[in-house]
Each structure stands twice: as C-alpha cells, then as structure tokens.
Amino acid sequence: MSNTPVRAEEWGAGRVSAGRDSAVGEQRSGRTSNSDKSNKSPSGVTSGRKPAVRKPGASRPAAQDTTAQTSVKKTSVGRTSAGKKAAVNETPEKPAAATKAAAKKATAQKAVAKQATAKTTAKKTTAKKATAAAEQAPAKKPAAKKTATAKTATAKTATAKTATAKKATAKKTTAKTATAKAPAKKAPARKPESHAAMVRRARRINRELAELYPYAHPELDFTNPFELLVATVLSAQTTDLRVNQTTPRLFAVCPTPEDMAAMDPERLEELIRPTGFFRAKTKSLLGLSAALRDRFGGEVPGRLEDLVTLPGVGRKTANVVLGNAFGVPGITVDTHFGRLARRFGWTTAEDAEKVEADVAEIFPKSEWTMLSHRVVFHGRRVCHSRKPACGACPIAPLCPAYGEGETDPEKAKKLLKYELGGQPGQRLKPPADYPGQPAPPMAPPVAAS
C-alpha cells in the first residue's frame, strides 16, 4: 500500500460520491428492504446518507491507503452495475410485449369499427341525397319535364289510336261472332213444346212450303224407272246437276238393263267419270243391271223389299224410285232433308232410317213424297248448310232454328239459289211449270291437239 497522504477534502468528497453512487444503484435495483438499508459501505458509512463533514479545528483523520480507496470505488461500481443488471433481469419483457400487442389489436378493432360506421353513415347520406335529388328533380329540370310531358302526350295519342283500332276490330269480331252465334239473337224464347204442338207446327210448315214451291219435283232427269234408278245411284256424293249433265251420253249408249249389263267396265267408267267415285259406281251399275236382267226380266221392281236387294240400292234410292216412278209414297232422307228435319224440331236423330221413322209419324202417308221434294227444295235454295238465309225465309216464324244464318233481309236475299236467286235450275229438262231456267248441258270435251 502507498503511504502518500490524502487531503481531508478529497477523502470527504470521495466518501460523498461513493455514497451517492451506492444510493442510486440501490434505487435502480429496487431493493428497499430494511436489510439493504442497514448495509454499510466498506468504509463504515451507511448507504444513502451524507458523510459527516469535519468541523473546523478538528483533527485530521488518518490517511487512508490508496489501495483501500480504489477497492471502495470498485465495490461501489460493482454494486451499481449489479443493481442495473438485476433491474434489467427483473423487468417483465414478455408481459409488456403482450400488452402492447393487445393494445394494437384493440386499436385496430376500433379503427375497423370506425370505418364500418363511416361506411354506414356514407350510405345513409347518399340515400338521403338521392331522395332529395329525386324530389327536387321536377323543379330543377323543367325542360326534361316538358319533354316527358310531350312523350306522354305522344304515347297517349298512340294509345288512343290503338284503342280505336282495337274497338273497330272488336266491333267487327263482335258482328262476326253475332252472325255466327245467331241463336243468341232469337227473339222470344220459345216455351217447351208438346208433341201435339210440334205436330201442328210441322204440318203448317208443310203447307207453307207447298205454297212456296208448288212446282217442287225430283231434280233428276229421267223418262222411265230404269233411268231414274241409274240416275239416283249416280247422285251419291255429287249434285243432281252433274248427274243430269252426264246421263244423256250414258243412256244414249245403254238405254236398257241388258245393254248396261253387257257394257265394258272401262267404257262405263269413262262415261260416268264426271260424277266421281266412278269405279265403285260402275260396279254397282253393272251389278244392278245384271240383277234386273236375270231376276226381274229386265224390269225395275215396284216394291221396297225387292229394290233394296239390288247392288248399290238403299232405302233412300228405293223411296225415290217408288215415289216418283211408281207413285208409292216414300220419304227420301238425303242430307238436305235430314238437316232441315232437325232444324225444324221434327227429330233429333242422325241416322237416316230413324229420321224417316220420326217424320213418318208426323205426316200422313199421302204427303210423304211431296213433303220430301218441298223440304229438299227449301234446303237447296234457302236453308243452306253453312249459312242459311234466315232473313229471306218465309217460314222463319215457325222455325226454332231462326237466327243460325243471316237475318238481314237484304243480305239474306243474296244467299238464295237456283230460281229464287235468278239462276238456272239443276234439270236440263225441267217440268213445264218450273219458273226457273233449265240447266245448261255439259260442255263437250276439248279434243287433244
């Protein structure tokens, strides 16, 4: 150790500095227990307290060894460094980092919430602005309003025109529908009719038709029963006019059943071709001609039972022949007769034989043949199948089906046919009392060049 003397002031200052350093080190290390406070420095001074100051005139303390001072300093510095290290080691780093992360997370969540709130507020503000703009648009844009008004007016005009056109179309459609659904125009609804009332009305219709058609007759040209039988067979699925235009050539070649039975089928087909269905009709004509030749001596029988046994001959054909060639009363139910019998309310049947039976119960037998002619005449001239001329029908007040056709008198007159319409009849050689014009003969075939 050095024996170099140390001044009192320097020693005191060293003690004070060491005390301060020691106090600071203890405070940083967080050691505040009573045991720590009681610890003293190697020099015997209590930590944290100021060293005593020598009073003037007091004896100078003994000199201290330089080595001891150095040791004291080293000890103070060591304790200070140890205190710092202990303070650093005891600081909870991890909890502090977690706390900071949680704080950051909370801050982020608050920021997101603020952004969501801002977006909601912005949407509400936009909606309010849009509503306000819509409310203020008419006031702000008078020009657009005028344009819209002009467009609306144009649209209304177009709509009015369309409505007018639709009304006109509807009127036409209504008129057509009214014409087609004429039963709705029937004036007074008829009361349920008893059978006796229907019979009285039916017989009155017959009398009215007799006054209207006093010249009614069969509309097939013939001079004997055989010609009438052949003409009636040919009249199936064609008009009487076409048959009347065809038979002159036919009867010129084969006037008798024997002649016709001996005809070549192809030649016969060629002669009757204009009437249609000529192959089937050729077969029937050859068969009935052979039957008349072989079974009836070439004569047409005068009984219904015999006539219906001939090929191609049914009740209708038999009644035509019996009623007009032999004077035997019969009801001829063709398409015209059946249609009018149902319209007049005489029957509801569709089958020809049932219609014949129902009508036969209403009228006396003596009226059957002429009744057939009158009804057929009326059906061909006035009471047509598709469009009856109701407005020009003399028996309209007696007809339950009035209104099914044209009810306007002027229009109905244009629907009349044959002599009532100023046109030729169906016969080339009509009866003398027929008021109309004879039908023209068939034009000769054009020769092939």
Side-chain angles (χ1 to χ4, degrees), residues 35 122 188 394:
S35 61

Side-chain angles (χ1 to χ4, degrees), residues 18 20 23 118 127 144 167 194 266 272 363 405:
R20 288 179 179 175
K167 285 182 179 179
S194 64
E266 292 183 0
I272 67 172
F363 301 94

Side-chain angles (χ1 to χ4, degrees), residues 1-358:
M1 294 179 64
S2 176
N3 294 324
T4 304
V6 179
R7 295 176 57 181
E9 292 82 0
E10 294 176 355
W11 181 83
R15 290 284 303 270
V16 171
S17 176
R20 288 179 179 175
D21 292 340
S22 177
V24 170
E26 290 179 356
Q27 288 178 358
R28 290 181 179 178
S29 63
R31 296 176 181 177
T32 56
S33 61
N34 294 329
S35 61
D36 292 336
K37 291 179 181 180
S38 62
N39 290 335
K40 294 180 181 181
S41 65
S43 60
V45 180
T46 304
S47 300
R49 294 181 182 181
K50 295 180 179 182
V53 180
R54 184 177 62 86
K55 295 181 180 182
S59 59
R60 180 178 294 180
Q64 297 290 335
D65 191 355
T66 307
T67 304
Q69 291 179 3
T70 305
S71 177
V72 169
K73 289 182 180 181
K74 288 182 178 179
T75 302
S76 300
V77 172
R79 293 189 65 179
T80 304
S81 177
K84 287 182 180 181
K85 289 182 180 180
V88 170
N89 291 334
E90 291 180 1
T91 303
E93 293 179 355
K94 293 182 180 179
T99 304
K100 287 181 179 180
K104 288 182 179 180
K105 187 175 182 180
T107 305
Q109 288 179 351
K110 287 182 180 180
V112 171
K114 286 182 178 180
Q115 290 179 356
T117 305
K119 287 182 179 180
T120 305
T121 306
K123 287 182 179 179
K124 291 182 178 179
T125 305
T126 304
K128 288 182 179 179
K129 288 181 179 180
T131 305
E135 291 177 354
Q136 296 176 1
K140 290 182 178 180
K141 297 181 179 181
K145 185 175 180 181
K146 289 182 180 179
T147 305
T149 305
K151 289 183 178 179
T152 305
T154 306
K156 286 183 178 180
T157 305
T159 305
K161 290 182 179 179
T162 306
T164 305
K166 286 183 177 180
K167 285 182 179 179
T169 305
K171 287 182 179 180
K172 291 181 180 179
T173 305
T174 304
K176 290 182 180 179
T177 305
T179 303
K181 297 182 178 180
K185 286 186 175 182
K186 289 182 182 179
R190 293 181 180 272
K191 296 180 181 179
E193 189 177 40
S194 64
H195 180 72
M198 184 272 292
V199 170
R200 289 194 297 270
R201 182 174 55 81
R203 293 183 177 181
R204 185 177 173 185
I205 288 175
N206 184 34
R207 294 193 296 270
E208 295 284 346
L209 292 177
E211 293 181 4
L212 181 61
Y213 309 108
Y215 49 88
H217 56 271
E219 295 190 273
L220 289 171
D221 287 331
F222 68 97
T223 58
N224 57 59
F226 176 67
E227 291 183 357
L228 179 58
L229 178 61
V230 171
T232 306
V233 171
L234 293 176
S235 67
Q237 304 298 322
T238 188
T239 63
D240 288 353
L241 173 60
R242 180 60 64 183
V243 173
N244 293 333
Q245 292 174 335
T246 304
T247 52
R249 293 173 56 200
L250 176 64
F251 294 143
V253 175
C254 48
T256 64
E258 293 80 4
D259 297 330
M260 187 169 289
M263 282 283 295
D264 178 65
E266 292 183 0
R267 172 62 173 158
L268 187 57
E269 287 179 3
E270 187 64 26
L271 290 173
I272 67 172
R273 183 184 291 271
T275 63
F277 300 95
F278 55 91
R279 291 189 177 89
K281 292 177 181 179
T282 296
K283 185 176 180 180
S284 297
L285 292 180
L286 292 174
L288 72 86
S289 298
L292 291 175
R293 179 194 63 192
D294 299 339
R295 291 194 287 132
F296 298 101
E299 298 292 335
V300 178
R303 294 197 314 161
L304 180 65
E305 296 80 0
D306 296 331
L307 286 171
V308 295
T309 63
L310 299 175
V313 178
R315 287 186 65 89
K316 184 194 82 167
T317 301
N319 282 326
V320 170
V321 173
L322 291 174
N324 297 279
F326 295 98
V328 178
I331 298 175
T332 304
V333 182
D334 65 355
T335 56
H336 303 288
F337 189 96
R339 179 177 72 252
L340 268 66
R342 286 185 288 274
R343 284 181 176 173
F344 292 158
W346 298 349
T347 183
T348 58
E350 296 287 340
D351 180 69
E353 292 189 15
K354 187 63 172 65
V355 172
E356 180 184 345
D358 290 343

